[in-house]
Amino acid sequence: MTEEGYGTELTKILTVSFTYGLADPTLFPHADLAAASASVLTQEAAIALNYGPPSAQLYEQIILRLQAQGIAGDRDRVLIGYSRFAARRWLFRLV
């Protein structure tokens, strides 16, 4: 796992390679993921367990990550879908 320079002091985004669809399970921060899941399910279960529009925070994190890589990113250039199929369907409608 390599540390990247994204996010703020409160958030560190780590990179885990999913090459060939398989990631080394030892690289995942299991305790942190369990704590984050428990927190979300305790505080915002109705929102977290329901389909709906993507959150503004998700867009913001994606845009920050793109910009950190030197890629122009803004809300009008980011498409978030629930699956690869859904994203393709939206893209084909836009083209």
Side-chain angles (χ1 to χ4, degrees):
M1 202 163 21
T2 60
E3 250 184 79
E4 300 288 343
Y6 310 121
T8 66
E9 289 181 26
L10 298 176
T11 61
K12 287 184 180 178
I13 297 175
L14 302 175
T15 303
V16 176
S17 174
F18 285 93
T19 305
Y20 309 113
L22 303 171
D24 182 353
T26 63
L27 296 178
F28 289 93
H30 298 108
D32 292 339
L33 290 171
S37 296
S39 175
V40 167
L41 292 174
T42 300
Q43 298 172 21
E44 303 181 45
I47 295 169
L49 298 174
N50 196 357
Y51 286 104
S55 72
Q57 293 88 357
L58 179 57
Y59 277 104
E60 183 180 318
Q61 287 298 314
I62 291 170
I63 291 166
L64 285 173
R65 193 166 195 162
L66 290 171
Q67 290 172 347
Q69 296 176 33
I71 301 169
D74 59 48
R75 187 75 181 253
D76 294 331
R77 296 178 184 206
V78 174
L79 172 67
I80 299 174
Y82 295 108
S83 67
R84 180 175 45 184
F85 175 77
R88 281 188 198 160
R89 189 177 69 200
W90 277 106
L91 285 173
F92 288 133
R93 285 183 183 176
L94 292 172
V95 176

